[in-house]
Amino acid sequence: MSGGGINAHWLMHYRVVTLVNQCRRLIRDEFGARLSLTDPDLRESLGAYAERSASGELKRLMARINEEAGEPEHKPETDAAPDTAARPPRRMYRGQPLPEPAPPPAAGPDDGSTSDKTVIYRGRRVR
């Protein structure tokens, strides 16, 4: 399976699924091939059919899929390597990126006194 450089959750967006279904219909009409949404190489298959197609509509839809889903699959790996090393991968929830967690507060000298900390319990200040 060749999905290392692309977003693994590319098919989790409603707009992308709509575009993919339009492409599948055009491919079925032009080539007689039925592509499955569960195929792990679906994106590569769509791209291959779009290149062979005489339909400008199919090529336009494939460009929109690449645009909506993230990076195009044939991006050179030399550009991706420094970016990946510079920052950790984004946390995702249901195909959407989560906001970055707040940085921990700067720790001052630990003298053991915890009386200056505010404690909130069930929305009310306790200490």
Side-chain angles (χ1 to χ4, degrees):
M1 189 157 94
S2 63
I6 62 172
N7 183 0
H9 301 289
W10 71 278
L11 202 53
M12 296 298 287
H13 304 283
Y14 179 76
R15 291 184 308 266
V16 174
V17 173
T18 303
L19 295 170
V20 167
N21 283 330
Q22 290 175 4
C23 286
R24 289 173 58 216
R25 277 187 220 104
L26 289 172
I27 289 169
R28 186 183 63 223
D29 292 344
E30 186 174 352
F31 298 102
R34 294 186 179 269
L35 298 178
S36 172
L37 284 175
T38 59
D39 181 15
D41 296 325
L42 175 64
R43 194 165 179 181
E44 291 84 8
S45 299
L46 289 172
Y49 278 111
E51 288 175 9
R52 292 181 12 205
S53 175
S55 169
E57 178 73 10
L58 183 58
K59 292 175 183 175
R60 184 186 64 79
L61 286 172
M62 194 60 207
R64 284 199 47 211
I65 289 171
N66 286 335
E67 182 179 298
E68 292 274 342
E71 299 299 318
E73 66 187 40
H74 44 79
K75 181 179 178 184
E77 291 297 323
T78 56
D79 291 344
D83 187 36
T84 307
R87 61 182 171 89
R90 302 263 334 240
R91 297 181 326 153
M92 303 290 279
Y93 178 71
R94 294 188 176 183
Q96 300 295 321
L98 290 174
E100 294 297 322
D110 190 28
D111 57 6
S113 65
T114 58
S115 61
D116 60 334
K117 292 184 181 178
T118 302
V119 178
I120 297 177
Y121 179 73
R122 293 191 175 184
R124 294 188 180 175
R125 186 171 169 215
V126 178
R127 280 192 258 163

